Amino acid sequence: MTGAKVHSEGAGPFTTRVTWRPEAGVTAVWESRLARKRALLTVHAAGEAEPRTRTADSVSVGRMRRLNAVAACAFTIGGALFALGAGLAQFGPGDMTSAWIYFTGGLFFNTGGYASLLQAINTPDRDHEAGALAARRWRWWSYEPGRIDWLSTFVLFAGTLVFGVNLVDSLLHGLSVQQVNRIVWAPDMVGCVLFLISGHLALVEVCHGRPRLLPHDLAWWIVAVNQLGSFLFMASAVTAFTRPSSGDMVSAAVANWGTLTGAACFSVGGVLQFYERPAPSTSSATPSRIRSRPKRNS
């Protein structure tokens, strides 16, 4: 039947891939990350040996390319700054120099997190009747927790904000051990947990269900490298706890090396993200229809 849904995939309440027939003899496949990152869906007509990709309108493609460039650049620079700060903390002049470098890197992480959320908010919606992607009106905010891409990027952005609290508090002087653990270490732990949750949701989105190995998929590598970075950040946070009895960290070396290697992972993920972007649009036409309210991705 024309426009009928054939199959949907995902995990729990989330849908990450939908297959339907917009017209007789044509099958369309929408994937959450492919639509968000590359502004594409796949169509396969009867009699064709290989499926073809169908690109969204030029406005949507331009938006996704710009947001991807901002996010990729922000995570690349932010990760590099965190790695530098950790290196200086381990081998360099002192804690305050590292703290200011961390703070600057945190601003880049904030930017990358929000740009990633904006990608999810403004992802072109699927048009079941046309078997294509339809543009949305630009929005700076939305609330769509039923979408795995929105929830993953929102949790990521929230994690960067919590890290920001940790980084601002780390600039304070004269804190007691209890204050350090409460206002510096605790937000660090919360931020790491949020990063891990976001990374797991991203893996579910890429794998369309239970996380698994997809070594030939660039998106999987980006998500996997970032998730490794989140685990390393968590190891760093756990060992950065200050013992009340001695006033020393559990392990300053592990905390510094965990931050350095985890940050390097995010920087590598940012570089890889430059390659996961929509192709330049060959059409200068504006979309014929822009939806003021998105359909639910069911």
Side-chain angles (χ1 to χ4, degrees):
M1 181 174 67
T2 300
K5 184 189 300 182
V6 177
H7 184 62
S8 63
E9 299 172 65
F14 303 116
T15 299
T16 62
R17 180 159 56 196
V18 176
T19 304
W20 78 100
R21 293 194 179 98
E23 56 185 274
V26 176
T27 301
V29 180
W30 168 90
E31 296 184 28
S32 174
R33 189 175 180 98
L34 188 64
R36 180 173 88 259
K37 291 292 188 176
R38 297 184 183 269
L40 294 174
L41 58 73
T42 305
V43 293
H44 195 179
E48 292 184 350
E50 298 292 335
R52 296 176 288 107
T53 55
R54 183 172 291 176
T55 308
D57 60 279
S58 59
V59 172
S60 295
V61 168
R63 288 173 178 172
M64 296 301 105
R65 285 182 64 85
R66 288 190 293 272
L67 289 172
N68 183 76
V70 171
C73 185
F75 282 120
T76 300
I77 297 174
L81 287 172
F82 263 65
L84 174 62
L88 290 177
Q90 182 66 24
F91 305 109
D95 290 341
M96 287 311 297
T97 301
S98 295
W100 279 107
I101 293 174
Y102 283 145
F103 177 76
T104 305
L107 296 178
F108 281 96
F109 271 98
N110 294 154
T111 302
Y114 185 52
S116 299
L117 179 59
L118 284 175
Q119 272 190 305
I121 292 172
N122 295 288
T123 299
D125 201 12
R126 61 181 184 269
D127 188 328
H128 282 280
E129 296 179 0
L133 293 173
R136 295 178 173 181
R137 294 189 185 279
W138 174 264
R139 296 177 296 167
W140 293 101
W141 170 251
S142 71
Y143 182 70
E144 303 172 77
R147 291 174 48 196
I148 193 170
D149 54 344
W150 184 92
L151 188 59
S152 176
T153 53
F154 172 76
V155 173
L156 173 67
F157 179 50
T160 67
L161 295 179
V162 175
F163 275 133
V165 173
N166 155 261
L167 296 172
V168 169
D169 291 343
S170 68
L171 297 173
L172 300 177
H173 296 276
L175 298 177
S176 66
V177 171
Q178 291 76 16
Q179 289 174 321
V180 168
N181 286 333
R182 185 174 68 253
I183 69 176
V184 178
W185 179 79
D188 191 17
M189 286 292 296
V190 173
C192 289
V193 170
L194 291 175
F195 267 42
L196 285 169
I197 293 172
S198 172
H200 177 73
L201 291 172
L203 277 172
V204 169
E205 182 189 20
V206 168
C207 298
H208 306 293
R210 182 178 299 175
R212 52 198 170 97
L213 292 175
L214 297 173
H216 301 295
D217 188 339
L218 174 62
W220 182 88
W221 277 107
I222 294 171
V223 173
V225 168
N226 285 336
Q227 188 69 334
L228 174 60
S230 297
F231 277 110
L232 291 168
F233 270 12
M234 175 59 79
S236 171
V238 170
T239 55
F241 180 79
T242 302
R243 292 188 177 99
S245 58
S246 64
D248 296 325
M249 289 185 184
V250 172
S251 176
V254 173
N256 291 332
W257 280 107
T259 299
L260 192 155
T261 52
C265 287
F266 281 104
S267 195
V268 170
V271 172
L272 293 176
Q273 190 174 331
F274 279 110
Y275 298 94
E276 191 190 22
R277 64 187 187 277
S281 177
T282 57
S283 172
S284 60
T286 56
S288 58
R289 176 173 56 177
I290 298 179
R291 291 187 177 143
S292 58
R293 297 185 63 183
K295 290 183 177 180
R296 290 178 60 86
N297 289 339
S298 58

